[in-house]
Amino acid sequence: MATTYATGKRKTAIAKVWIKSGSGKISVNGVDLNTWLGGHEAIKLKVIQPLLVTKQENSIDIKATTLGGGYSAQAEALRHGISRALAAIDADFRALLKPVGLLTRDSRSVERKKYGRRKARRSPQFSKR
């Protein structure tokens, strides 16, 4: 299998993902997944979810670069990128990933701040007197 490229997005985070057949190594920004995410086990599971769904956790090597947003949004962008790359490899993988919702880009983003408000919706404290 040749190297396959895909891009994943979430909020303002972007993940560029290259996958190829291998032994299951995941490298993000030049370091392995455990070093990159530290002790965030729940977020690590989110990242490898597409591999678990398609049963490819020990047969595909992943090299990725992430930018923008925080580590959680970057991890979800990485999950989206891995899913898209797997779907590009095999139509059978697409049939597995689509019902779980891994190919859908989460379009929610931060609402803009409004004039006269503290945040997007938070009003200044009301004082009767």
Side-chain angles (χ1 to χ4, degrees):
M1 171 178 90
T3 304
T4 307
Y5 171 80
T7 306
K9 293 182 179 182
R10 168 79 169 101
K11 288 187 173 179
T12 59
I14 299 169
K16 300 172 185 178
V17 180
W18 292 267
I19 66 171
K20 62 180 181 180
S21 56
S23 59
K25 283 186 242 137
I26 301 175
S27 168
V28 184
N29 297 337
V31 295
D32 68 293
L33 184 67
N34 290 326
T35 311
W36 183 63
L37 275 177
H40 301 282
E41 295 301 321
I43 299 175
K44 281 182 208 168
L45 284 172
K46 274 186 184 176
V47 171
I48 61 169
Q49 187 183 2
L51 300 173
L52 298 173
V53 169
T54 56
K55 297 179 177 64
Q56 298 294 310
E57 56 267 21
N58 294 321
S59 56
I60 285 181
D61 284 349
I62 298 169
K63 183 178 176 282
T65 56
T66 57
L67 54 138
Y71 64 87
S72 184
Q74 285 183 357
E76 292 196 23
L78 182 57
R79 174 176 74 173
H80 186 228
I82 292 169
S83 301
R84 288 174 84 174
L86 286 169
I89 290 172
D90 194 351
D92 296 338
F93 290 160
R94 182 175 177 81
L96 292 169
L97 293 165
K98 189 117 174 91
V100 185
L102 294 173
L103 293 174
T104 307
R105 192 244 198 249
D106 192 346
S107 61
R108 295 176 296 168
S109 61
V110 180
E111 191 175 339
R112 79 170 197 88
K113 185 194 174 303
K114 278 40 163 233
Y115 170 77
R117 304 257 173 180
R118 280 209 198 143
K119 293 164 63 176
R121 299 186 178 198
R122 169 79 165 103
S123 301
Q125 186 171 7
F126 177 73
S127 173
K128 199 167 192 175
R129 310 189 163 81

